[in-house]
Amino acid sequence: MYAPFRIAKDEDADDKKQSRESVARGLADGYAFNFLEFMSVHLRAVGKPIFVLLPKMPKYHDDTNNDAARNSWVRNGSVTIRDLITQMKAAQIIQTEGRSLHPSETGRPTVDSLVNGGAFIDVPTTLTVLIRGIIEDKANDDGDDFDVAWYNQEVELFRKRLTRTVKEGGYGDVVNIIELEFFNLTQTDADGNKFQLQIDFTNFNKNHGYEENKECAKYVSMNA
């Protein structure tokens, strides 16, 4: 059981499509300029890349399925990305303490996955702006449920813009952008067996696609 993800490629940098009042591109630029560009120098110094995880909903859970919005990690838009990070730490999917790459040990930390010594991971908290924007739009609509399809579209726009900005900035060698699809941090199969998401990008190969890298994000058994 795997958690499908999309690996951002250079061709994403060529995307110029427009969407309805999207703020995703501006958020991506701000995230790149204010964090990744600065971080790239320190990543090269330690010889490790960072994996930017962009959480999405699986494609089979769209806005026509009310249960998807209410029961998924997005909780009908009531959670923030920081809440999701807190839940990932509580489940020991990522380290509870972040590591700063700044020489003075100050500044924004990264977080590590727990497997094989870990890989640097960042989940952009700025994506909360996308969630809040959709909630505000729905407040003026007749529908009560979070628009999962719209959120997924915004994340895709964020990913494509971020890929372009990173490529043009010249630090794609130390930045890997991963669009990670999952319904919840835990899943239960038809037989009642429980599984938890495990993230491990230590053996990630940037020259390969999803099939060769799918072991990096998968669900593992929680049963004793």
Side-chain angles (χ1 to χ4, degrees):
M1 187 184 303
Y2 296 98
F5 56 86
R6 178 194 295 271
I7 305 166
K9 299 293 186 179
D10 284 349
E11 52 264 30
D12 290 332
D14 298 326
D15 178 71
K16 295 182 175 61
K17 292 188 295 185
Q18 299 296 320
S19 70
R20 51 178 182 177
E21 299 182 4
S22 175
V23 297
R25 289 180 178 83
L27 293 175
D29 284 348
Y31 176 72
F33 297 145
N34 295 326
F35 177 57
L36 293 179
E37 186 172 299
F38 163 81
M39 181 68 76
S40 64
V41 177
H42 304 293
L43 290 167
R44 290 193 185 102
V46 297
K48 290 181 67 174
I50 193 170
F51 292 84
V52 178
L53 299 189
L54 308 179
K56 281 184 62 179
M57 291 287 294
K59 292 181 179 179
Y60 55 84
H61 292 296
D62 58 29
D63 61 341
T64 64
N65 182 351
N66 292 341
D67 288 340
R70 296 169 186 168
N71 299 327
S72 71
W73 64 264
V74 80
R75 294 293 184 269
N76 218 23
S78 64
V79 303
T80 65
I81 298 300
R82 193 173 298 280
D83 293 332
L84 176 62
I85 294 172
T86 299
Q87 293 166 16
M88 293 174 75
K89 289 180 177 180
Q92 296 188 333
I93 296 171
I94 56 178
Q95 297 279 11
T96 56
E97 296 295 331
R99 172 183 172 184
S100 175
L101 294 182
H102 193 280
S104 64
E105 297 294 327
T106 61
R108 178 174 175 164
T110 60
V111 292
D112 293 332
S113 60
L114 289 173
V115 181
N116 297 332
F120 291 140
I121 291 172
D122 191 71
V123 186
T125 55
T126 190
L127 294 178
T128 297
V129 176
L130 302 181
I131 297 174
R132 290 292 178 259
I134 293 171
I135 287 296
E136 290 177 6
D137 182 83
K138 297 299 286 185
N140 297 320
D141 201 349
D142 294 331
D144 295 325
D145 290 304
F146 185 77
D147 193 330
V148 171
W150 185 6
Y151 170 76
N152 280 347
Q153 176 185 329
E154 290 292 289
V155 172
E156 289 171 8
L157 289 171
F158 184 96
R159 183 248 308 165
K160 291 178 178 181
R161 180 67 176 203
L162 185 60
T163 303
R164 177 179 177 180
T165 304
V166 167
K167 179 183 178 181
E168 293 176 348
Y171 40 95
D173 58 315
V174 289
V175 176
N176 296 305
I177 304 164
I178 304 293
E179 205 176 74
L180 183 64
E181 296 182 0
F182 61 98
F183 186 62
N184 267 316
L185 299 181
T186 59
Q187 291 189 8
T188 304
D189 66 14
D191 297 322
N193 298 310
K194 293 184 178 181
F195 299 83
Q196 179 172 283
L197 181 64
Q198 176 181 282
I199 297 173
D200 175 17
F201 284 97
T202 51
N203 294 319
F204 178 83
N205 190 323
K206 193 166 187 173
N207 296 320
H208 291 163
Y210 169 70
E211 281 300 318
E212 295 83 359
N213 286 299
K214 66 181 182 181
E215 292 289 333
C216 295
K218 62 184 179 180
Y219 284 86
V220 296
S221 176
M222 297 175 65
N223 298 332

